[in-house]
Amino acid sequence: MGAWSDWFARDNNIRCGGTPVVVKMENPNWSISEISDISEDDARRKGKKNAKQITWVLLLRAHRAAGCLASLASGSVGLISSARRRVSSGRADSSRHHRLYTFIKFSLFLSITLLCFELYAYFKQYHLSIPDYTMAIPSFRVNVNDLFGSIYTGWTRIRAEYIAPPLQLLSDVCVVLFLIQSADRLILCLGCFWIKLRRVKPVPKAGFGFKEDSDPEAGEHFPMVLVQIPMCNEREVYQQSIAAVCNLDWPRSNFLVQVLDDSDDPLTQKLIKAEVDKWHDNGARIVYRHREIREGFKAGNLKSAMGCSYVKDYEFVAIFDADFQPTPDFLKRTVPHFKDNEDLGLVQARWAFVNKDENLLTRLQNINLCFHFEVEQQVNGIFINFFGFNGTAGVWRIKALEESGGWMERTTVEDMDIAVRAHLNGWKFIYLNDVECQCELPESYEAYRKQQHRWHSGPMQLFRLCLPDIIKSKIAFWKKTNLIFLFFLLRKLILPFYSFTLFCIILPMTMFVPEAELPAWVVCYVPATMSVLNILPAPRSFPFMIPYLLFENTMSVTKFHAMVSGLFQLPSSFEWVVTKKSGRSSDGDLVNLLNGKKDDKVSDAPEKEKEVVSKKIKKKKKHNRMYRKELMLAFLLLTAALRSLLSAQGIHFYFLLFQGVSFLLVGLDLIGEQVD
């Protein structure tokens, strides 16, 4: 390289008499530097560059620009190739693959056809000869010479007179609902700010009879606590959850652990039973229960366990899902709140997530759930003494459960069901924001989608069932109003309705029906403000504000479908799918407390069973899926984005473009864990 540059410098000096140029070749970029010449000719030129040098500089810059374009093109081709592979082989169900692929191509063809229709009319300037339909004109004629122009004229008249008015009315209704829900969110944030400013938090009225230096083994000052771990085919997490509960800092004579196994896999049952026997042999008071008939899912499992004869000896019950890992002091920080507080029925702890930074999907979920716990649960707990039970990481007074009717299998949100019934019976709730319990977030979009479907269809089932009970209950009128209009209608029904209708249907339609307008502040400024408020409880997530806003609008499709399904009792509203776990441990890794090192998931199983487990894992081939509704809306939004360019609506174009890309990525399942 040095010899080549020396030769080039000598040759350049001889032929042009200019400043020598040293070309430093770096992979993949080029950079150039000038070396001062000591010749008198250059001194007389006073820095003037010759044509040869300028030519080389321009050539090198052109090469760099070409390299950037090539990189962008290569990345785009790679993304398109990934999408094509996902479309061609992305589903495990091959029987439905051809119909789905045909449906996608047809939707794309239809969208492009509509766009071409508008583009042709735009370049022919037919829109300039269309009269203003907002004025009453008894008769008019448009000077259009061809059939296509006549068709466009008729379409414009129909659009202005029959389509735009109802669309504008629906848009205005959704905007009003949007503002009401935004005001509710703002009030919640102000309430949370007041709590932080005044440093308000629940404090036990008195110690529960035990002192900090009390001997836990004595057990005389500690109430009796029943600890339940409902699970179903939880092969990935059963070890760590059982270990965490068995290591609770509570006298062993005063708490009993129930492992409520609903697994239908005989091998999983055997592994969980072996784990329970191991802890029992080590001195833990733990029992294993398995139901032969799995009726009522989780609610039926808990109801069956509460029917045991020995439950009458216990005053409180703590519930942990299979992936939850409570800290050893969990009971000591929650149970004392029941002391001298006879009308307290529930103490709920906060969730913390061991895999919140695993991928983009878990980061976005963390934003949502941080707002839920930090703002919604805390504000409702402080000001109303009521909130929806989260189904886990909570301690119930058994008397409150029994007087409220116990667990019922009538909905897929048994936790919210028992919370509403207990509230109607006068029981109060406390939320502890400073007591955390480690758990997992779904890492794949499929698992998250199924979880959200259950969480949004169940409340509508419950609303239909408990509305008469709310109206006839003896609680205060403002509590009834809070339950009906805020807890159920505004946050469970109106929110998914306007999110889907306004941003996924009305907004793209206004691009094709410009007579109906949607203000820019509805599209951009208010949603951005609400996103900032949502991210405040998780300040480290501020770089993900825009992806969060787009993803929430994308999830509105699933939430809207689930809401309608639950409201009208469709068959899909009764589906119950256990959320897939990955078996990630917390930072403390509570399993290590006993074993000294992290065990294999089948470490205590016989060798033959280990082989069976490994063979089953190898045989299971999972594939990422594709989602038709999301893909269809992606094509609609992207087509509307192109159409918005004809109307010179800048902010609408960018929103539709990025929202369409978001739907496309989710529809192709390119967010979250990539299985295959």
Side-chain angles (χ1 to χ4, degrees), residues 28-29 63-79:
N29 298 321
H63 182 273
R64 177 176 294 179
C68 292
L69 292 175
S71 299
L72 290 175
S74 176
S76 301
V77 170
L79 180 61

Side-chain angles (χ1 to χ4, degrees), residues 231-252:
M231 59 177 63
C232 179
N233 297 322
E234 308 281 4
R235 182 180 297 170
E236 297 83 6
V237 294
Y238 72 91
Q239 277 189 319
Q240 60 197 39
S241 61
I242 293 175
V245 169
C246 289
N247 279 287
L248 287 171
D249 186 12
W250 203 258
R252 292 195 173 185

Side-chain angles (χ1 to χ4, degrees), residues 158-174:
I158 295 173
R159 188 178 70 190
E161 294 184 354
Y162 300 105
I163 300 178
L167 182 61
Q168 186 67 59
L169 177 62
L170 181 60
S171 173
D172 295 340
V173 170
C174 289

Side-chain angles (χ1 to χ4, degrees), residues 17 160 179 201 258 472:
L179 293 178
K201 69 175 183 178
Q258 286 182 321
K472 292 184 295 185

Side-chain angles (χ1 to χ4, degrees), residues 233-238 265 267-268 271 601 613 616-617:
N233 297 322
E234 308 281 4
R235 182 180 297 170
E236 297 83 6
V237 294
Y238 72 91
D265 178 20
L267 180 57
T268 302
L271 294 174
K601 299 300 179 191
V613 172
K616 282 192 173 184
I617 294 175

Side-chain angles (χ1 to χ4, degrees), residues 76-367:
S76 301
V77 170
L79 180 61
I80 293 173
S81 299
S82 299
R84 287 189 62 185
R85 287 195 298 270
R86 180 60 49 80
V87 170
S88 61
S89 61
R91 287 180 64 94
D93 188 358
S94 59
S95 62
R96 299 175 60 186
H97 160 69
H98 180 70
R99 294 195 300 271
L100 174 61
Y101 191 44
T102 304
F103 173 77
I104 295 172
K105 291 192 293 185
F106 173 75
S107 300
L108 180 59
F109 174 77
L110 182 61
S111 302
I112 293 177
T113 301
L114 292 174
L115 180 62
C116 291
F117 180 80
E118 293 285 348
L119 287 173
Y120 183 82
Y122 182 82
F123 286 114
K124 284 288 187 178
Q125 298 185 350
Y126 292 139
H127 62 289
L128 298 179
S129 59
I130 300 300
D132 185 5
Y133 290 100
T134 60
M135 300 176 60
I137 300 177
S139 63
F140 57 86
R141 290 186 179 181
V142 180
N143 186 16
V144 179
N145 298 322
D146 57 1
L147 177 62
F148 188 88
S150 300
I151 296 174
Y152 184 78
T153 303
W155 156 245
T156 307
R157 170 187 283 185
I158 295 173
R159 188 178 70 190
E161 294 184 354
Y162 300 105
I163 300 178
L167 182 61
Q168 186 67 59
L169 177 62
L170 181 60
S171 173
D172 295 340
V173 170
C174 289
V175 169
V176 171
L177 296 177
F178 180 32
L179 293 178
I180 294 174
Q181 196 274 333
S182 300
D184 172 65
R185 184 141 302 192
L186 179 61
I187 293 172
L188 286 173
C189 290
L190 292 176
C192 182
F193 177 75
W194 185 85
I195 292 172
K196 295 294 182 184
L197 186 65
R198 301 293 297 271
R199 298 182 180 179
V200 179
K201 69 175 183 178
V203 178
K205 294 182 179 180
F208 209 113
F210 63 81
K211 301 178 180 178
E212 293 299 328
D213 56 352
S214 298
D215 181 13
E217 296 302 325
E220 51 201 346
H221 302 295
F222 293 79
M224 301 293 286
V225 179
L226 181 67
V227 182
Q228 297 177 333
I229 313 177
M231 59 177 63
C232 179
N233 297 322
E234 308 281 4
R235 182 180 297 170
E236 297 83 6
V237 294
Y238 72 91
Q239 277 189 319
Q240 60 197 39
S241 61
I242 293 175
V245 169
C246 289
N247 279 287
L248 287 171
D249 186 12
W250 203 258
R252 292 195 173 185
S253 60
N254 287 46
F255 84 103
L256 172 69
V257 179
Q258 286 182 321
V259 178
L260 312 177
D261 184 22
D262 259 6
S263 303
D264 54 7
D265 178 20
L267 180 57
T268 302
Q269 298 173 22
K270 200 168 186 178
L271 294 174
I272 297 174
K273 180 68 166 57
E275 185 72 12
V276 170
D277 292 341
K278 181 183 72 175
W279 281 98
H280 184 269
D281 294 340
N282 288 333
R285 295 187 69 236
I286 184 171
V287 295
Y288 174 83
R289 284 180 54 85
H290 178 264
R291 296 191 304 162
E292 294 297 332
I293 302 176
R294 187 182 171 226
E295 292 182 350
F297 305 109
K298 182 179 176 181
N301 199 1
L302 294 171
K303 181 179 180 180
S304 173
M306 294 299 293
C308 296
S309 59
Y310 53 78
V311 172
K312 66 180 183 297
D313 299 328
Y314 295 85
E315 188 175 358
F316 306 101
V317 56
I319 303 172
F320 300 99
D321 282 351
D323 59 317
F324 277 72
Q325 305 168 40
T327 55
D329 63 347
F330 182 88
L331 293 180
K332 283 190 173 182
R333 299 179 68 183
T334 54
V335 175
H337 288 271
F338 291 96
K339 178 66 174 178
D340 297 331
N341 199 355
E342 296 300 325
D343 57 352
L344 179 62
L346 167 67
V347 175
Q348 172 72 59
R350 177 174 180 162
W351 299 1
F353 310 105
V354 298
N355 60 338
K356 61 183 178 181
D357 297 324
E358 181 64 24
N359 54 45
L360 179 60
L361 179 61
T362 58
R363 291 177 185 271
L364 299 180
Q365 292 178 67
N366 180 60
I367 295 173

Side-chain angles (χ1 to χ4, degrees), residues 58 112 309 415 465 507:
L58 293 176
I112 293 177
S309 59
D415 46 7
L465 294 170
L507 178 58

